Amino acid sequence: MSKTLCSLFMFAILATSSCLVAAEKEEGFSPIFNGETLAGWQRLNGTAIYTVEDGCIVGRTNEASPNSFLCSMKEYGDFELKFEVKVDDALNSGVQIRSAAFGANPKYRVHGPQVEIATNGTAGFIYGEGLGTGWLSPDERRADAKKNAAFKKGEWNEYYVKAVGPHIQTWVNGVAIADLQDEKTEMMSGFIGLQVHGIGKRQGPYEVRWRNLRIKPLKPAK
């Protein structure tokens, strides 16, 4: 085997065996995670552990912890957001958009629209985290078999979220999921938050991984 072919072969192995998959260069999109540290992010609420491994953000449950969130310290108004995620089957997770907390104290409750990450058929739908509203996406939309099957267990899943004014749309692996006119939250800007759902005693540990997080602001946060 030539040196060139050998190099290409080794590169292919490394690329498929780790999270170090470079985000495609897309016009207007910028990374919101540098692939090396959690600079620019802060944990709020629970005690889940967030680390960086092989270019991924890894969130691991902590027994008896409530919901935990790794939140961007920058806020966004209208935007397009793309990321990839892989989650243990038994763990529910999500990504907060346009969210807030009542101050910087980690005990203050994170609240806002959450794009669901789960293997139970609800992936990509939008939940009102900490708002007392339940699902923001209409219930009848969650009965669609094609949408329910969009998320692949044990695999990396590609999410695309577009938020313009009250209009929020989501796609999972290219399948259109939510098409929401948000008339309940009135939250038009806020942080991005990576959720590790709370678990009870003698449960877990479970983990969720994110990579290639990038955003294209369409209008600055107010």
Side-chain angles (χ1 to χ4, degrees):
M1 182 182 293
S2 70
K3 289 183 178 180
T4 299
L5 288 175
C6 183
S7 297
L8 290 172
F9 179 72
M10 291 303 296
F11 177 81
I13 292 175
L14 290 171
T16 56
S17 62
S18 74
C19 294
L20 293 173
V21 179
E24 55 185 300
K25 293 182 179 179
E26 298 159 298
E27 185 176 357
F29 281 85
S30 300
I32 54 174
F33 162 56
N34 64 22
E36 298 178 355
T37 72
L38 296 179
W41 297 81
Q42 61 178 335
R43 189 185 69 189
L44 296 177
N45 299 168
T47 59
I49 306 300
Y50 292 89
T51 58
V52 177
E53 299 178 14
D54 298 326
C56 295
I57 295 177
V58 182
R60 290 190 174 88
T61 58
N62 193 13
E63 187 176 325
S65 170
N67 293 351
S68 304
F69 303 88
L70 185 69
C71 303
S72 68
M73 298 177 74
K74 184 175 180 179
E75 296 190 349
Y76 300 91
D78 292 353
F79 58 82
E80 296 176 41
L81 172 69
K82 295 184 179 183
F83 61 89
E84 296 171 60
V85 64
K86 181 192 289 187
V87 65
D88 286 348
D89 290 355
L91 182 63
N92 170 278
S93 182
V95 168
Q96 298 293 134
I97 61 171
R98 293 174 162 178
S99 292
F102 298 110
N105 189 315
K107 294 182 180 180
Y108 292 148
R109 185 71 166 92
V110 168
H111 58 282
Q114 180 188 114
V115 181
E116 190 78 357
I117 296 170
T119 62
N120 63 0
T122 61
F125 291 99
I126 302 171
Y127 183 76
E129 177 70 26
L131 297 172
T133 59
W135 290 98
L136 299 175
S137 300
D139 288 342
E140 61 269 19
R141 293 186 181 274
R142 294 191 284 124
D144 188 304
K146 183 178 180 181
K147 294 179 180 181
N148 294 166
F151 192 93
K152 306 302 180 184
K153 292 184 178 182
E155 300 180 20
W156 284 103
N157 292 271
E158 298 180 359
Y159 274 63
Y160 170 43
V161 182
K162 185 175 183 179
V164 180
H167 192 195
I168 302 174
Q169 297 168 279
T170 68
W171 289 259
V172 176
N173 294 323
V175 178
I177 306 294
D179 191 344
L180 170 69
Q181 288 291 334
D182 181 8
E183 299 175 349
K184 294 182 179 180
T185 73
E186 297 184 350
M187 300 181 77
M188 295 294 103
S189 66
F191 57 66
I192 305 296
L194 310 182
Q195 185 204 53
V196 173
H197 201 281
I199 60 170
K201 294 181 179 179
R202 296 181 293 280
Q203 294 183 19
Y206 307 119
E207 71 175 40
V208 54
R209 292 175 174 253
W210 291 271
R211 70 182 184 190
N212 293 345
L213 294 103
R214 63 259 197 221
I215 200 164
K216 178 180 182 180
L218 303 176
K219 186 171 64 176
K222 293 182 180 180

